[in-house]
Amino acid sequence: MDLIFHALADTTRRDILTRVMSTEQSVSALARRYDMSFAAVQKHVAVLERASLVTKQRQGREQIVQGDPGTLRRARRLLDDYEDLWRMRVSAIDDLLAEETPGTAGRDPNTTTH
Amino acid sequence: MDLIFHALADTTRRDILTRVMSTEQSVSALARRYDMSFAAVQKHVAVLERASLVTKQRQGREQIVQGDPGTLRRARRLLDDYEDLWRMRVSAIDDLLAEETPGTAGRDPNTTTH
DNA sequence: CTAACGTACAACCAAATGGTTGTAGATACG
DNA sequence: CGTATCTACAACCATTTGGTTGTACGTTAG
């Protein structure tokens, strides 16, 4: 998890991810889009790869990069879990209020049912 | 966004977030749970606060920390967007296949309709 | 009032990050 | 064949990170 979120905590890497999620591309094709050295982009891809957000696949002399939706889902699920915690906490307070003053539902504006 | 994901890229911080999402707590109450100095935990909370994942609220001499579900939602949405990119890409390939060999739907096992 | 508690913040340190340049090995092209 | 392209990787550098300790200050408890 540390690896996943760390990989996502960089604008360039998120941009690379955006690109390869919709179209798989070679590392050099990606590098051409950014104002930094090939080696720098190569490192960014390596970080994404270590996090399993991306996979590489050799094709001749090129290395084709493609996104991995499975890892993305795992990350999203974690965020969902945090939101669930919040909802449970609020509903616990709601229950308490409902018990004390029945009829006064007191909905929390931050709580969104999906 | 960098701040948000960077804040999430640390086990201790995610653990703090888990705690305050379900129950708001003072910084020192949090600090007692971890095998590190108060100052270290204080810094972790500061990182979460800079990322707006958490808000602090003074109460006498204590500083009460509570989770912010809104920021969490923003992060989750971004991950959703990446998954959407993937689905659009796959469906584009599907359309192409459907056009070439109608009847052979060829569903991608990675694609999950929500 | 005094002592203990909760917090803020500075100074310091080792390790990791994000970038660079340079070198070298495969693979494709003319 | 020779040359250009794509990749890998090492060495280096400035900055940030995650931790420490120490000091100072407002607030609560005895």
Side-chain angles (χ1 to χ4, degrees):
Chain A
M1 273 299 167
D2 288 29
L3 291 178
I4 300 178
F5 286 117
H6 170 251
L8 290 169
D10 181 283
T11 310
T12 305
R13 281 195 293 265
R14 284 198 305 278
D15 199 74
I16 290 177
L17 191 55
T18 311
R19 288 209 155 89
V20 300
M21 282 305 280
S22 48
T23 312
E24 56 183 30
Q25 289 177 54
S26 73
V27 179
S28 54
L30 285 168
R32 263 177 247 123
R33 319 271 181 171
Y34 304 97
D35 188 27
M36 64 180 83
S37 68
F38 171 83
V41 175
Q42 201 180 16
K43 279 192 188 179
H44 281 305
V45 172
V47 171
L48 287 167
E49 193 184 13
R50 265 194 308 141
S52 300
L53 282 166
V54 136
T55 57
K56 286 194 298 187
Q57 187 184 352
R58 190 152 227 120
Q59 208 165 98
R61 70 180 161 184
E62 290 186 331
Q63 197 82 260
I64 305 298
V65 184
Q66 52 194 1
D68 181 338
T71 308
L72 229 22
R73 270 181 77 83
R74 283 208 301 137
R76 186 175 63 79
R77 254 195 240 284
L78 189 74
L79 299 191
D80 281 341
D81 289 347
Y82 287 127
E83 293 191 59
D84 285 347
L85 283 179
W86 170 269
R87 249 166 303 192
M88 292 199 311
R89 164 193 121 128
V90 169
S91 69
I93 296 174
D94 272 3
D95 291 354
L96 218 135
L97 284 176
E99 209 172 310
E100 285 177 359
T101 58
T104 318
R107 294 303 293 157
D108 192 306
N110 276 321
T111 305
T112 322
T113 313
H114 191 263
Chain B
M1 273 300 165
D2 288 28
L3 290 178
I4 300 177
F5 286 117
H6 169 251
L8 290 169
D10 180 283
T11 310
T12 305
R13 282 195 294 264
R14 284 199 306 278
D15 198 73
I16 290 176
L17 190 57
T18 310
R19 288 209 155 89
V20 299
M21 282 306 279
S22 47
T23 312
E24 57 184 28
Q25 290 176 55
S26 74
V27 179
S28 54
L30 286 168
R32 263 176 247 122
R33 319 270 181 171
Y34 303 98
D35 187 27
M36 65 179 84
S37 69
F38 172 81
V41 175
Q42 201 180 17
K43 279 194 189 177
H44 280 306
V45 172
V47 171
L48 288 166
E49 193 185 14
R50 267 194 307 141
S52 300
L53 281 166
V54 135
T55 56
K56 285 195 298 188
Q57 188 184 351
R58 188 151 230 121
Q59 207 164 97
R61 71 180 160 183
E62 291 186 331
Q63 196 82 260
I64 306 298
V65 184
Q66 52 194 2
D68 182 337
T71 308
L72 229 23
R73 270 180 77 83
R74 283 208 300 135
R76 187 175 62 79
R77 256 196 238 285
L78 189 76
L79 299 192
D80 282 341
D81 289 346
Y82 287 127
E83 294 192 58
D84 285 348
L85 283 179
W86 169 268
R87 249 166 301 192
M88 293 199 310
R89 164 195 122 127
V90 170
S91 69
I93 295 176
D94 271 5
D95 290 355
L96 217 135
L97 284 177
E99 209 172 308
E100 285 177 359
T101 58
T104 319
R107 295 303 293 157
D108 191 307
N110 278 320
T111 305
T112 322
T113 312
H114 195 254

